[in-house]
């Protein structure tokens, strides 16, 4: 038991897309980061090795890696989701409350105002507000300097090829200076959201796990536990 407790613990996180799942991820990440702090307080050697995500998962991942401490990461996650909370007037019908997000989400997306050009639209919402929100909650200088591998994925519009972007050089993948636009690209799902040079779709845990393995060699022959979206070794 003493030998086991002295072994360093490496943690990897895979974060899927999907708005409601993103809110769940916020809570799960808070619990994980608190548990890591408890381990550290007990004298255990524990490190967040890699975080990879797509769509809303990439936004949560950026908050975690783009923070100087685990406490800062929890604060950034909670502040982000406080900003993304949309409260309908309590006297509205349940159906109206449910559909309120169709009219936009402050700090995330807004309906296009140029409705007279609607016949030529390839997307419905303007996601530029998210760039401002990311700049407010993510320290991109800390993210790019972090020893934790951060990988965000998108799908190239023309070829359909998976395009990962990483803050650290990986096998066959050079390092990229991660900016808000890379995270935005991972969450760009036409025809709702615009696709910039690259656009994303939900690529599945299998693809994200493949990226995790390339970023974390010690997991290549080990199973990835998918039930919580986290893996450790």
């Amino acid at each position: 038991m003493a030998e086991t407790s002295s072994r360093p613990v490496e943690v990897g996180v895979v974060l899927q897309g999907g708005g409601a799942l993103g809110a769940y991820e916020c809570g799960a990440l808070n619990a994980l980061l608190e548990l890591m702090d408890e381990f550290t307080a007990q004298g255990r050697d524990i490190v967040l090795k890699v975080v990879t995500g797509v769509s809303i998962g990439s936004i949560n991942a950026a908050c975690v890696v783009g923070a100087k401490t685990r406490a800062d990461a929890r604060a950034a996650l909670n502040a982000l989701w406080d900003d993304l909370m949309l409260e309908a007037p309590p006297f509205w019908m349940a159906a109206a409350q449910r559909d309120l997000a169709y009219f936009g989400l402050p700090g995330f997306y807004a309906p296009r105002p140029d409705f007279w050009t609607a016949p030529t639209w390839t997307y419905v919402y303007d996601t530029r507000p998210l760039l401002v929100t990311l700049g407010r909650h993510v320290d991109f200088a800390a993210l790019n300097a972090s020893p934790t591998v951060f990988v965000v994925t998108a799908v190239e519009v023309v070829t359909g090829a998976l395009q990962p972007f990483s803050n650290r050089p990986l096998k066959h993948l050079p390092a990229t200076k991660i900016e808000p636009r890379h995270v935005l690209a991972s969450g760009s799902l036409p025809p709702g959201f615009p696709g910039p040079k690259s656009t994303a779709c939900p690529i599945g845990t299998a693809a994200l796990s493949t990226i995790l393995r390339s970023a974390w060699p010690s997991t290549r022959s080990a199973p990835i536990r998918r039930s919580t979206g986290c893996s450790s070794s």
Side-chain angles (χ1 to χ4, degrees), residues 76 79 83 106-107 129-140:
D83 278 358
L130 181 58
L131 294 173
V132 178
T133 299
L134 287 169
R136 187 164 61 250
H137 295 296
V138 179
D139 184 340
F140 281 90

Side-chain angles (χ1 to χ4, degrees), residues 10-102:
E10 295 180 339
V11 178
V13 181
V14 176
L15 299 170
Q16 278 279 47
L21 184 55
Y24 167 83
E25 290 169 355
C26 175
L29 287 167
N30 265 285
L32 173 64
L33 294 168
E34 289 176 0
L35 183 62
M36 292 179 69
D37 279 343
E38 290 178 12
F39 268 51
T40 301
Q42 295 168 9
R44 296 288 299 274
D45 184 9
I46 187 166
V47 60
L48 187 59
K49 189 75 172 180
V50 55
V51 183
T52 179
V54 65
S55 194
I56 195 67
S58 70
I59 297 173
N60 285 330
C63 286
V64 172
V65 184
K68 292 183 175 66
T69 66
R70 290 193 282 265
D72 288 345
R74 293 198 301 272
L77 280 167
N78 293 334
L80 169 75
W81 282 94
D82 283 344
D83 278 358
L84 297 183
M85 185 180 299
L86 188 60
E87 295 189 29
F91 55 83
W92 282 20
M93 295 185 301
Q97 294 188 32
R98 179 197 62 201
D99 297 336
L100 185 60
Y102 284 122

Side-chain angles (χ1 to χ4, degrees), residues 116-182:
W116 57 90
T117 64
T120 64
W121 286 3
T122 56
Y123 63 93
V124 177
Y125 297 103
D126 179 1
T127 53
R128 285 176 295 181
L130 181 58
L131 294 173
V132 178
T133 299
L134 287 169
R136 187 164 61 250
H137 295 296
V138 179
D139 184 340
F140 281 90
L143 188 155
N144 285 294
S146 176
T148 299
V149 178
F150 170 87
V151 186
V152 61
T153 56
V155 173
E156 210 285 329
V157 174
V158 176
T159 65
L162 179 66
Q163 177 61 62
F165 302 98
S166 174
N167 66 335
R168 316 298 295 177
L170 304 176
K171 186 178 181 180
H172 307 307
L173 181 65
T176 298
K177 182 181 179 181
I178 304 297
E179 301 174 1
R181 63 190 178 92
H182 295 99

